[in-house]
Amino acid sequence: MVPHLVTALTGPINELEQRILESMPAIERWFRLEWMEHTPPFYTSVDIRNAGYKLAPVDTNLFPGGFNNLTPEMLPLAVQAAMAAIEKICPEAKNLLLIPEKHTRNMFYLMNVQRLIEIFGLAGLNVRLGTLDESITEPTRLQLPDGSELTLEPLLRTPRRLGLKDFDPCTILLNNDLSAGIPDVLKNLHEQYLLPPLHAGWAVRRKSQHFDSYEEVAKKFAKLLGMDPWLINPMSAQVGEVDWQEGTGLDRVQTQVDALLTKIRRKHKEYGINEKPFVVVKADNGTYGMGIMTVRDAKELEDVSRRTRNKMGVVKDGQTVSQLIIQEGVPTYERVNEAVAEPVVYMIDRYVVGGFYRVHADRGIDENLNAPGASFVPLAFSESHHLPKPGMRPGASAPNRFYMYGVIGRLAMLAASYELEATDPDAEVYE
């Protein structure tokens, strides 16, 4: 299935697709060399926007949920990638402790946990679930819609290790993004592999740092292909010390919004794009599509309603927002069954393992689609994303389109690798 792209089959994106396909050997070699120098995050999902005139990642998640939205055909790829990831980290591993989010009543999320257990089970590991929810003091069974069940168990901490009763894992996999902070039970684990590392969680991580790293990666990649990095990079700015409740700092947000809109207008003029530019103001830490607003004119920030301030001031787990990233808005012109859609690419280790379209019938091309009411349509990565079909006209072939999405997803994953190296509290600093 190639979703309908409601822009002309000419223009920058089709030229970009052509250039990416023609440069495939150079691109794959470039990624190979980068991965010799940098360690990929354990697993990653990337939200991508295809505007027809540019193609860019707008969010990179290092604790991805949604594995349940991958098709069964994608499972072998995921299992092979999981095997490669585990072999690199702990070849003798036999036990894996998976720690999920605490919101354990969300059935879609639990089906994601079930899929992760299946993937790592097929990769040859004994997988059990430990919970950070201290109210769970004994093994607790949770029924899933398909009639199966998951068992959550209380964590058991010794001075240097973390496990469960009668279960001592070599590796601990977090599927909890640590928005509420880093729990003591996860600190100072020196004898086990904790994946992703603690500084990948939202208690430490900042989107602005990620997109600074992505800009660096995009410039390198654009130089390789002889193209303008703007075609794959959303411009952004960062603002700190904002208090939504008191309204302090919003003047600085307004100034940055105005400056970024001016930059976007300049680019639109350069490429003859007739779109009205917009920016997306987001919490610099956070996930689940919370703390996000679309702004088309800086004046809109002069009179922000109390309801919007409340929405922008708090994100997941009640964390207050004082740091913001202002990001160039990339509209999406993808359509699935007439509804607005955006591709989401999933990776384990350095491999693309699948993805899906996030579809929202009630949202516009310039709005956040990660919201209640979204549905998911699998991407056709089952027609191996690594086997594009050279010679077909741009935009006509699913494997070609999805290969291009996989390249952009891997660029964002590489940026996350740069980001984690730069923010690693244990890294040695050389003057």
Side-chain angles (χ1 to χ4, degrees), residues 24-88:
M24 195 176 81
I27 288 170
E28 294 304 326
R29 178 177 180 273
W30 182 82
F31 273 121
R32 255 195 325 273
L33 295 175
E34 286 287 334
W35 294 129
M36 286 170 71
E37 299 287 328
H38 305 281
T39 304
F42 188 78
Y43 52 6
T44 317
S45 70
V46 179
D47 298 356
I48 296 172
R49 289 282 186 126
N50 187 349
Y53 58 84
K54 82 181 286 177
L55 179 73
V58 293
D59 209 5
T60 302
N61 191 348
L62 301 182
F63 299 85
F67 277 93
N68 52 306
N69 295 316
L70 304 185
T71 62
E73 290 83 6
M74 295 172 187
L75 210 53
L77 278 176
V79 171
Q80 282 181 322
M83 284 176 172
I86 292 291
E87 275 167 25
K88 264 195 329 199

Side-chain angles (χ1 to χ4, degrees), residues 164-180:
L164 308 172
K165 188 182 178 190
D166 304 323
F167 189 75
D168 184 29
C170 155
T171 306
I172 298 157
L173 179 61
L174 291 176
N175 197 241
N176 180 312
D177 63 24
L178 307 178
S179 290

Side-chain angles (χ1 to χ4, degrees), residues 387-408:
L387 298 175
K389 298 175 180 173
M392 292 191 74
R393 70 186 169 88
S397 155
N400 287 0
R401 173 85 60 83
F402 299 142
Y403 176 74
M404 183 167 68
Y405 290 162
V407 167
I408 299 297

Side-chain angles (χ1 to χ4, degrees), residues 32-242:
R32 255 195 325 273
L33 295 175
E34 286 287 334
W35 294 129
M36 286 170 71
E37 299 287 328
H38 305 281
T39 304
F42 188 78
Y43 52 6
T44 317
S45 70
V46 179
D47 298 356
I48 296 172
R49 289 282 186 126
N50 187 349
Y53 58 84
K54 82 181 286 177
L55 179 73
V58 293
D59 209 5
T60 302
N61 191 348
L62 301 182
F63 299 85
F67 277 93
N68 52 306
N69 295 316
L70 304 185
T71 62
E73 290 83 6
M74 295 172 187
L75 210 53
L77 278 176
V79 171
Q80 282 181 322
M83 284 176 172
I86 292 291
E87 275 167 25
K88 264 195 329 199
I89 293 152
C90 184
E92 69 279 10
K94 61 177 183 178
N95 292 339
L96 178 76
L97 174 60
L98 177 57
I99 300 181
E101 292 281 358
K102 283 162 89 170
H103 57 92
T104 49
R105 297 294 174 257
N106 180 325
M107 283 298 151
F108 293 112
Y109 176 72
L110 289 175
M111 286 154 67
N112 155 72
V113 173
Q114 181 189 42
R115 177 57 65 85
L116 283 170
I117 291 171
E118 182 182 9
I119 289 168
F120 288 100
L122 289 169
L125 295 166
N126 302 314
V127 188
R128 280 165 65 176
L129 291 178
T131 179
L132 291 168
D133 187 343
E134 291 172 354
S135 68
I136 293 181
T137 55
E138 57 186 40
T140 302
R141 290 190 173 135
L142 301 172
Q143 294 295 323
L144 297 182
D146 65 359
S148 63
E149 61 182 24
L150 296 175
T151 301
L152 280 177
E153 299 181 64
L155 294 169
L156 195 63
R157 178 66 201 252
T158 58
R160 298 180 67 83
R161 295 182 75 83
L162 180 65
L164 308 172
K165 188 182 178 190
D166 304 323
F167 189 75
D168 184 29
C170 155
T171 306
I172 298 157
L173 179 61
L174 291 176
N175 197 241
N176 180 312
D177 63 24
L178 307 178
S179 290
I182 299 171
D184 289 340
V185 75
L186 296 179
K187 293 176 183 172
N188 302 313
L189 290 170
H190 301 299
E191 296 179 355
Q192 292 162 298
Y193 295 95
L194 182 65
L195 303 165
L198 293 177
H199 67 283
W202 288 120
V204 177
R205 190 175 178 229
R206 295 294 176 266
K207 292 180 183 180
S208 53
Q209 174 93 41
H210 174 74
F211 281 100
D212 284 350
S213 296
Y214 182 79
E215 184 176 10
E216 187 185 340
V217 168
K219 282 177 178 171
K220 283 187 183 179
F221 184 78
K223 189 176 178 186
L224 175 77
L225 265 63
M227 57 177 263
D228 181 353
W230 178 75
L231 294 172
I232 56 170
N233 180 37
M235 295 187 287
S236 63
Q238 198 256 355
V239 184
E241 296 177 28
V242 176

Side-chain angles (χ1 to χ4, degrees), residues 34 38 213 216-217 220 414-423:
E34 286 287 334
H38 305 281
S213 296
E216 187 185 340
V217 168
K220 283 187 183 179
L414 180 58
S417 171
Y418 283 30
E419 171 200 358
L420 291 177
E421 285 167 18
T423 56

